Amino acid sequence: MTHAFDDLVAEADSAPVEGWDFSWLDGRATEQRPSWGYQRLMGERLARATAALDIQTGGGEVLAGVPRLPPLMAATESWPPNLAKATALLHPLGAVVVADTDEPPLPFADAAFDLVVSRHPVTVWWHEIARVLRPGGTYFSQQVGPASGVELVEFFLGPQPGARGGPRHPDRARDGVRSAGLELVQLHPETLRMEFHDIGAVVYFLRKVIWMVPDFTVDRYRDRLRELHERITAEGPFVTRSTRMLVEARKPAV
């Protein structure tokens, strides 16, 4: 068991984590997908847009997977490895990728876009979204909801009593839309099942989704990782829940 643990952890700790592609986890972890099909819906809206912005594009994989981009397509990203990957992926498709700190203001003029999209933004600056939208423009986003993966987080960090509320709660999104002067079109939360089938999958996931356990390193958490490895070996996959929200808002037409 010790040999298997060391091999799985070493493999996952050396795997590249740039971009937002989770294919390394194929066969090792599963996550139920939301019912709505965000990329398809986003692609439908992009096909009708004339100027669009993708905020926090990651490695650009989701945006690159839509059938048709609008004549003017911009994306922002803050993490340098993702920025390089998104640039290489999206430039050939005609999209410009802009380095941004994920802090206000967005590096664009007022009313620059008729569509703003974002998949799993870490932060949502509602007033900035409203500012860069044209009158009648739309914001369309799939966001991480409250307590996503909380069972996994609590295994490493202990009880997280505030995780089930906080800034990711649907009520906070509703309040943000309203405070920015936008009109809520739809807000749909879902709770989804996640399974981790080996300890390598856990290591890779926590290295890639760095806000789950912010101080995570293999060395710091080796004892807890070994405990979880033994649990998975004896009992089967570690099960947690992810939460997602589909949010669509519109800027009132003048």
Side-chain angles (χ1 to χ4, degrees):
M1 184 175 292
T2 296
H3 180 70
F5 170 78
D6 290 338
D7 286 349
L8 288 167
V9 168
E11 178 191 14
D13 200 28
S14 62
V17 292
E18 295 85 1
W20 210 239
D21 177 7
F22 285 81
S23 60
W24 191 90
L25 292 173
D26 290 351
R28 310 180 73 156
T30 60
E31 181 178 2
Q32 183 184 1
R33 310 313 301 166
S35 62
W36 45 74
Y38 175 74
Q39 189 179 48
R40 174 182 59 81
L41 295 176
M42 182 183 73
E44 292 172 359
R45 286 159 175 78
L46 285 168
R48 299 192 298 265
T50 58
L53 170 65
D54 182 20
I55 298 176
Q56 299 177 30
T57 194
E61 299 91 347
V62 176
L63 184 60
V66 304
R68 176 185 171 190
L69 296 180
L72 192 157
M73 185 75 229
T76 65
E77 176 56 34
S78 63
W79 194 40
N82 277 354
L83 188 65
K85 186 171 184 179
T87 299
L89 188 59
L90 295 175
H91 269 198
L93 303 178
V96 62
V97 181
V98 179
D100 182 58
T101 61
D102 293 338
E103 296 283 342
L106 285 166
F108 304 101
D110 296 358
F113 304 100
D114 53 87
L115 176 65
V116 175
V117 299
S118 188
R119 181 180 181 272
H120 298 181
V122 179
T123 52
V124 183
W125 304 103
W126 291 106
H127 285 81
E128 277 300 288
I129 291 165
R131 182 183 65 80
V132 300
L133 276 175
R134 295 171 181 167
T138 295
Y139 174 71
F140 187 69
S141 176
Q142 178 176 294
Q143 300 181 8
V144 177
S148 191
V150 69
E151 296 88 353
L152 182 64
V153 173
E154 290 184 336
F155 183 88
F156 290 94
L157 299 181
Q160 304 289 302
R164 290 162 178 82
R168 297 189 181 278
H169 194 277
D171 288 347
R172 295 290 294 274
R174 190 176 287 107
D175 292 344
V177 168
R178 185 184 303 114
S179 69
L182 301 173
E183 299 172 346
L184 187 63
V185 177
Q186 58 177 326
L187 175 58
H188 298 308
E190 286 191 359
T191 300
L192 309 160
R193 183 182 177 92
M194 295 177 67
E195 294 185 359
F196 293 89
H197 294 261
D198 67 58
I199 198 62
V202 173
V203 170
Y204 180 85
F205 180 79
L206 293 180
R207 289 183 59 229
K208 195 174 186 74
V209 190
I210 57 176
W211 53 87
M212 300 294 287
V213 180
D215 64 344
F216 179 80
T217 65
V218 166
D219 289 341
R220 182 173 287 118
Y221 286 98
R222 184 172 291 273
D223 290 344
R224 290 298 280 164
L225 288 167
R226 189 180 300 277
E227 290 179 35
L228 186 52
H229 169 69
E230 293 172 356
R231 174 173 161 177
I232 292 171
T233 301
E235 301 176 10
F238 181 88
V239 178
T240 184
R241 301 292 188 276
S242 64
T243 58
R244 298 289 182 265
M245 299 186 297
L246 186 69
V247 185
E248 186 170 20
R250 183 175 296 117
K251 186 172 182 175
V254 175

